[in-house]
Amino acid sequence: MLRVLGLLLIPILFVLPNTASAQVNTKYANHWIVQPAGNCKVVINAGAVYGLVNSHVTKISWSGACGKDGLAEGEGELGIYFTQDGEELYADHIGRFSNGLMQGPWKFATWVRNGDKLSGSGIYNYLAFQDGCMVKFERTEVRSPCRMITGRATAANARVK
């Protein structure tokens, strides 16, 4: 189990100078994707969300509501289904979307590898996002090149017209 966890975390960990590790991949820090998630769309910063870097995303689900513009809105669970190194994986995130962008505190709840459920809630329990950019990891502020204005523009373009 530790081997798999280590392999999954290596590509997305970034060590900030004089601070704790943070789940930010600076190579993808300003790479935004718009994905269907049920009846909604979500706008996600690929460098800040578990399961989107160095993997093949097969499906994204959202249990919360959709706003009138077709973007995820309010609290719910974001499920990311992906394959990595031939393994089928699922990462479950709990938090809130506002106008399609991750907003406020989020929790990485569980992950599943080839059908085996493994707990992850103690690993990344205190993430915080502002306009889709990760701004806090546990108790440490995150400094990343993620541009909130780019996330807001991507969300505006993703709205159902």
Side-chain angles (χ1 to χ4, degrees):
M1 180 171 112
L2 290 176
R3 182 183 144 269
V4 171
L5 180 58
L7 290 173
L8 292 173
L9 295 178
I10 288 170
I12 57 175
L13 290 176
F14 170 71
V15 178
L16 296 170
N18 303 318
T19 63
S21 296
Q23 185 191 11
V24 175
N25 186 312
T26 56
K27 180 178 178 182
Y28 297 95
N30 214 26
H31 178 77
W32 296 87
I33 63 169
V34 178
Q35 286 281 77
N39 295 329
C40 305
K41 290 181 188 174
V42 294
V43 180
I44 300 176
N45 179 280
V49 177
Y50 185 78
L52 294 179
V53 176
N54 297 329
S55 61
H56 172 70
V57 176
T58 56
K59 177 183 170 186
I60 293 183
S61 65
W62 171 243
S63 71
C66 297
K68 63 182 178 188
D69 54 10
L71 297 173
E73 188 70 38
E75 301 211 6
E77 291 184 41
L78 175 70
I80 300 177
Y81 300 80
F82 59 102
T83 57
Q84 190 174 65
D85 297 327
E87 289 190 286
E88 295 177 9
L89 300 157
Y90 168 77
D92 185 30
H93 306 74
I94 299 171
R96 180 174 66 88
F97 274 96
S98 177
N99 294 316
L101 296 166
M102 297 171 87
Q103 199 71 269
W106 277 77
K107 178 174 142 178
F108 173 72
T110 58
W111 59 284
V112 177
R113 182 190 73 223
N114 291 332
D116 296 327
K117 187 172 184 177
L118 305 165
S119 175
S121 60
I123 301 170
Y124 302 118
N125 211 13
Y126 307 104
L127 305 174
F129 289 83
Q130 181 177 350
D131 292 333
C133 292
M134 184 185 290
V135 294
K136 196 172 205 180
F137 176 85
E138 307 240 333
R139 293 181 186 95
T140 304
E141 288 187 24
V142 173
R143 296 180 203 117
S144 96
C146 178
R147 294 182 190 92
M148 293 174 200
I149 192 164
T150 307
R152 289 190 295 266
T154 304
N157 290 332
R159 290 188 173 104
V160 175
K161 309 239 186 311

